[in-house]
Amino acid sequence: MTIRLIGYAFSGPVLRVIICLKELGLPYELEPPASYQSLKDEDYIANKHPFGKMPVLFDGGFRITESRPICRYLVSKYQGKHNDTILIPNDVHNAGLVDQFISYELSYYDPPISKLFYQEKVAKRFLNEDPDPEIIKQAREELAKVLDVYEKLLEGKEYLNGEYSLADLVHCPSTYYVYGIVTTHSGLWDSRPNVKNWWNRVYNRDVIKKSLEESKSFWENNENI
C-alpha cells in the first residue's frame, strides 16, 4: 500500500520526511494541499492535522503527523526492509543518543535558524514585511552559542552520534535553508571546523544533496509565490 505524504515539498518539515523516505528506499506519493488556507478547513483539521499544519503521513489506514515522529515511525517500521541504511541503531544506548540529538535539534538548533529564515525569506515573500534587523541580530547570537556547543559535541566525530543517523538527517532542511539559500549566515558554520566538516559530510550524501537542491530550485524559480 502506497505511503501518502501531505504537504509542500519546499516546506522544511515536509522535506525532512521526504529525505527520510528516500534514505529508507520507500516509495511514496506527495499530495500538496490545495492552498495554505485549506489547512484551516474543518475537514483538514478533523481528518489530517488537528492544528492545521504539515506534514501528515498516511501509511495505509494509519495516520501520523509532525515530521520528527513521522521519521521515527518510518525507521521503526521500515528500516532494513528496502536497503541497508541504518538511521536508528539497534543498540539501545546508541538509539537513546540519537533521540537525544534529535531533541537538541528541536529545542536549541532549529529555533534560531527558523527565525533567520522567516526574516530573510518568508516575511517578505509571503507577508510583504521587511526583515527586522534586531530579530536577525538576536537569532544570529542565539545560533552562534548553539553552534559553539555543537563544535564541542562533534570533536573527534564525523557525525553527531559517530555514524550517520536520523540525528543528522533532522538537521538538514533548516540548516540548508539558512546556509545554502540565504547564504549570508553561512559563516556561522564555516568558522567552526568541526561543524563545517560535519555539515559538508551530511550535505554531500546523494539523497540529501539532491533533495535539498530541488528545494533550492523552488525558492529561486518561484519569486512570486
Side-chain angles (χ1 to χ4, degrees):
M1 194 169 292
T2 303
I3 291 173
R4 297 164 52 216
L5 178 63
I6 312 299
Y8 297 118
F10 60 85
S11 161
V14 176
L15 182 56
R16 184 177 290 120
V17 176
I18 289 173
I19 293 172
C20 185
L21 286 162
K22 291 180 176 179
E23 286 279 23
L24 294 171
L26 291 171
Y28 67 95
E29 293 180 358
L30 182 66
E31 297 182 11
S35 65
Y36 272 107
Q37 290 73 24
S38 70
L39 301 180
K40 305 306 177 184
D41 291 348
E42 289 184 11
D43 177 70
Y44 189 93
I45 289 173
N47 297 303
K48 293 185 173 66
H49 196 302
F51 291 96
K53 301 292 185 179
M54 304 175 290
V56 182
L57 184 133
F58 288 91
D59 186 10
F62 177 69
R63 176 185 64 176
I64 183 169
T65 67
E66 300 293 303
S67 63
R68 295 166 188 84
I70 290 172
C71 289
R72 289 189 185 96
Y73 163 75
L74 291 170
V75 174
S76 296
K77 183 173 181 180
Y78 293 107
Q79 179 169 273
K81 293 188 176 180
H82 296 274
N83 58 31
D84 59 0
T85 299
I86 300 298
L87 294 178
I88 297 180
N90 291 324
D91 176 78
V92 65
H93 295 143
N94 282 326
L97 292 175
V98 167
D99 212 32
Q100 166 191 272
F101 286 116
I102 293 172
S103 183
Y104 290 168
E105 183 269 337
L106 174 63
S107 300
Y108 311 113
Y109 188 92
D110 186 70
I113 292 180
S114 294
K115 289 180 191 176
L116 286 174
F117 191 71
Y118 180 88
Q119 291 297 319
E120 301 278 17
K121 279 288 185 182
V122 177
K124 185 68 174 179
R125 178 169 294 185
F126 291 99
L127 302 175
N128 198 31
E129 296 177 357
D130 290 329
D132 186 325
E134 184 59 30
I135 293 178
I136 292 173
K137 177 176 179 292
Q138 292 175 356
R140 280 183 57 93
E141 291 172 352
E142 291 173 21
L143 181 56
K145 292 178 181 178
V146 172
L147 291 177
D148 283 342
V149 175
Y150 270 63
E151 181 72 5
K152 295 176 182 177
L153 292 172
L154 286 161
E155 185 70 38
K157 297 189 293 186
E158 293 188 347
Y159 298 100
L160 287 168
N161 201 42
E163 297 182 352
Y164 176 72
S165 71
L166 187 61
D168 305 290
L169 186 157
V170 297
H171 288 74
C172 290
S174 59
T175 304
Y176 186 70
Y177 279 3
V178 171
Y179 186 97
I181 295 179
V182 176
T183 71
T184 53
H185 307 294
S186 59
L188 290 169
W189 285 264
D190 290 342
S191 61
R192 295 165 173 82
N194 296 331
V195 171
K196 178 181 179 180
N197 291 336
W198 162 73
W199 173 241
N200 284 339
R201 290 188 192 97
V202 174
Y203 171 72
N204 281 299
R205 287 181 64 85
D206 290 341
V207 164
I208 290 175
K209 187 172 185 178
K210 183 177 180 181
S211 298
L212 294 176
E213 286 294 331
E214 288 172 355
S215 176
K216 181 179 182 179
S217 176
F218 171 87
W219 287 98
E220 290 178 341
N221 296 328
N222 294 272
E223 290 297 327
N224 297 317
I225 62 170

